[in-house]
Amino acid sequence: MTTRPKREIDTGRWIKFAPMRLQLAGTWLIGSVVPGTIAVLLTHDRGDLPFRPLLMLSGLEVLALLLLGVTLFLALFALGWRTIDASWLPDQPRAVVLWACLVGGAGLGGWAFAAAITLAADFSLVAQLILAYTAGGLPFTLLAAMLARPPRLNIAAAVLAAVAVLTGLAMIELPLWTLVQYLNLLAAPVTGR
């Protein structure tokens, strides 16, 4: 009876990419939980509207919204600080701030775009909230992957982001007009109409 030679695991490669794996998984988690909670805040007691405009929120809800925004950026900063080796940005505090601002800001933009697409495509509120809490981290993670060290990952993330945007635009009629309408609704003053 012959025995197979034991295959050795290349732990050096696993350890080398551990910060990147932690950064991408953490970004997905933060980008799903915090914006998902923002979605819940904006969609409860919405009446006939797809979501409540900012001026219809109570003082406590506005405070909660601001705290969630601060939490998002602080959590991304802490994650970026812990995993700075995963990014091709310099190993400096300013680079971590830049990373958190890019991932947080552009991630929120991508998340809002996805939310507008699901609203315009008439997804149910339950489906939208499930997507917000499970897949809401995708735009944030794609941005983090574009800033990660391996160039192949940068290219793959950019291609996936382009495919996601084009898919979203293809799902609705008049996409630019629709997006502008949702932005107007979000910032609309409380009126009788």
Side-chain angles (χ1 to χ4, degrees):
M1 184 160 116
T2 61
T3 59
R4 292 173 143 173
K6 289 187 179 181
R7 204 173 117 190
E8 292 190 31
I9 298 172
D10 183 10
T11 56
R13 183 175 178 174
W14 177 261
I15 292 170
K16 178 181 175 184
F17 291 111
M20 182 184 63
R21 288 184 175 107
L22 175 64
Q23 187 180 73
L24 296 179
T27 301
W28 188 290
L29 180 67
I30 293 165
S32 291
V33 172
V34 177
T37 307
I38 290 172
V40 169
L41 186 67
L42 291 175
T43 56
H44 83 281
D45 294 335
R46 64 188 177 132
D48 294 335
L49 299 172
F51 54 86
R52 291 190 304 159
L54 295 177
L55 292 176
M56 286 180 65
L57 299 175
S58 70
L60 282 176
E61 290 169 330
V62 170
L63 179 63
L65 190 65
L66 290 173
L67 288 175
L68 284 167
V70 169
T71 300
L72 174 72
F73 284 94
L74 286 178
L76 286 172
F77 176 79
L79 179 66
W81 186 263
R82 172 77 172 91
T83 60
I84 189 63
D85 293 338
S87 173
W88 48 261
L89 294 172
D91 191 3
Q92 301 173 1
R94 289 186 306 177
V96 177
V97 170
L98 176 63
W99 183 88
C101 288
L102 285 172
V103 171
L108 271 176
W111 180 83
F113 173 77
I117 297 299
T118 60
L119 287 169
D122 290 327
F123 284 35
S124 70
L125 178 60
V126 172
Q128 289 174 1
L129 293 177
I130 289 171
L131 281 172
Y133 273 111
T134 57
L138 179 63
F140 298 90
T141 306
L142 287 175
L143 264 294
M146 288 181 206
L147 298 172
R149 281 200 189 275
R152 287 181 293 181
L153 182 60
N154 303 150
I155 294 167
V159 168
L160 284 174
V163 167
V165 168
L166 291 174
T167 302
L169 292 174
M171 289 178 69
I172 57 174
E173 293 180 27
L174 304 168
L176 183 59
W177 182 84
T178 302
L179 295 173
V180 170
Q181 289 302 106
Y182 284 123
L183 281 174
N184 283 339
L185 177 62
L186 183 65
V190 180
T191 62
R193 49 184 178 121

